[in-house]
Structure formats: structure tokens, C-alpha cells
Amino acid sequence: MSGNTTQRLLRLSISFYRNPGKTGAEAYDFATNTRAVQAAKINAKHGIYAYVQYFSPESTRGAIEDMNKRLNRGWVVDDHDMTVEFYFRSFGELNKVTNDPDFQALQAKEEPYVNRKNTVVSLGWVETYVENGKVVNIRDDKSTFGTWEESSDISTAMLR
């Protein structure tokens, strides 16, 4: 990397709706007390940097819709119920997770709780600049992350 020292962190984000046959509370209970518990162990075993679940029920979407209207932003508010994020340095780590028989069994268990129709997936990299209330990854008034060319070239993450 061009003299910069901060290693790129990739993020795979998967947003989906809950199965309409389940209440928000039922889906949340499964996600936090079954899926998160098992997925955390599997992801840690295979070197995933971080695994995150976040929830956006109607109450939080309503709050952001109100802010959108009040500030006249014109935002498109994502209406998915839950998002799962995997943070990793190489696709080798992610492949180990997806090929793990325990992970595959966990995905089968979640079927009654999720509606895979209109799932949205995104892949990108993360640049953190404030962490725990402190400025990070800035040196001499410049970002310590790589150039656009270095960061957007994911071929190096594919090789590992």
C-alpha cells in the first residue's frame, strides 16, 4: 500500500425481511438467542474480524422517516427488518464460514424466520475515522487508508 499502514477491512452486508408468518419478537428471539450465538462461534473459528446483526423494526424506520421529512432530505429509507454484516480481510475467511457444515445447518434453521425474497446484498470496504470517541486512522491530516485504486482492487482479497 502506498506508504499507508491501515489494512483494508471488507464488509458483506445482507439485508432481509422477516417471514410474515412470524412476529417481530419471534424473529428477534431466534436471531439473538439462536442465530447470533451459533454464528458468533462459527465466524470466530474461521477468522472473521467481526459479525454484526442489526435490526430495523417499523418503530426505528418511522423515526428515520420523520427525520427525512423534517429535514427534507429525500432519502429512500431501507425497510428491511434485519441486516447481517460480516467483516473480513480475505474471501478465504468468508469461504470457510459458508462451507462450514454447522453454518449450513444454521442457515437451514433460519428458514422459518426469514423471507429471502428481495434480499439486498452489498460488498464494500470500511474506513473508520472515529472509534470510542477518538479520531483514528488519520496521520498528518491525511487518511492512513490506501488509495482508491488500492482499496477498490479486491483481487488481493480473493487470493488469500
Side-chain angles (χ1 to χ4, degrees):
M1 298 189 112
S2 62
N4 296 314
T5 58
T6 304
Q7 189 177 7
R8 178 185 55 203
L9 183 64
L10 296 171
R11 183 196 78 165
L12 174 66
S13 176
I14 306 169
S15 299
F16 52 89
Y17 298 103
R18 69 177 163 78
N19 183 326
K22 298 290 183 182
T23 67
E26 289 170 322
Y28 177 79
D29 182 63
F30 172 80
T32 57
N33 293 312
T34 300
R35 189 181 205 295
V37 171
Q38 293 175 22
K41 294 172 187 173
I42 296 165
N43 282 285
K45 176 173 76 173
H46 295 300
I48 294 295
Y49 179 83
Y51 170 80
V52 175
Q53 297 181 159
Y54 73 84
F55 303 88
S56 52
E58 289 181 28
S59 59
T60 61
R61 293 192 306 261
I64 202 71
E65 283 284 4
D66 290 345
M67 181 188 296
N68 187 20
K69 289 175 189 166
R70 189 174 63 254
L71 299 175
N72 196 28
R73 294 291 187 186
W75 296 331
V76 174
V77 177
D78 185 349
D79 65 348
H80 286 89
D81 297 301
M82 179 182 177
T83 299
V84 175
E85 295 179 339
F86 300 85
Y87 294 82
F88 55 97
R89 305 265 183 221
S90 79
F91 283 95
E93 299 154 356
L94 189 63
N95 289 337
K96 288 177 188 173
V97 171
T98 59
N99 291 321
D100 186 304
D102 292 333
F103 184 76
Q104 293 169 357
L106 179 56
Q107 286 192 302
K109 283 183 196 174
E110 73 186 17
E111 286 306 315
Y113 297 92
V114 299
N115 176 356
R116 299 216 184 270
K117 186 175 182 181
N118 298 316
T119 297
V120 173
V121 179
S122 68
L123 175 67
W125 68 89
V126 177
E127 295 185 3
T128 302
Y129 293 102
V130 175
E131 191 170 64
N132 297 319
K134 306 241 188 270
V135 173
V136 296
N137 300 317
I138 295 176
R139 186 179 309 123
D140 300 325
D141 288 333
K142 296 204 183 280
S143 169
T144 60
F145 290 96
T147 65
W148 171 261
E149 291 77 13
E150 292 167 332
S151 297
S152 61
D153 177 6
I154 64 166
S155 66
T156 56
M158 302 286 228
L159 300 174
R160 295 184 268 154

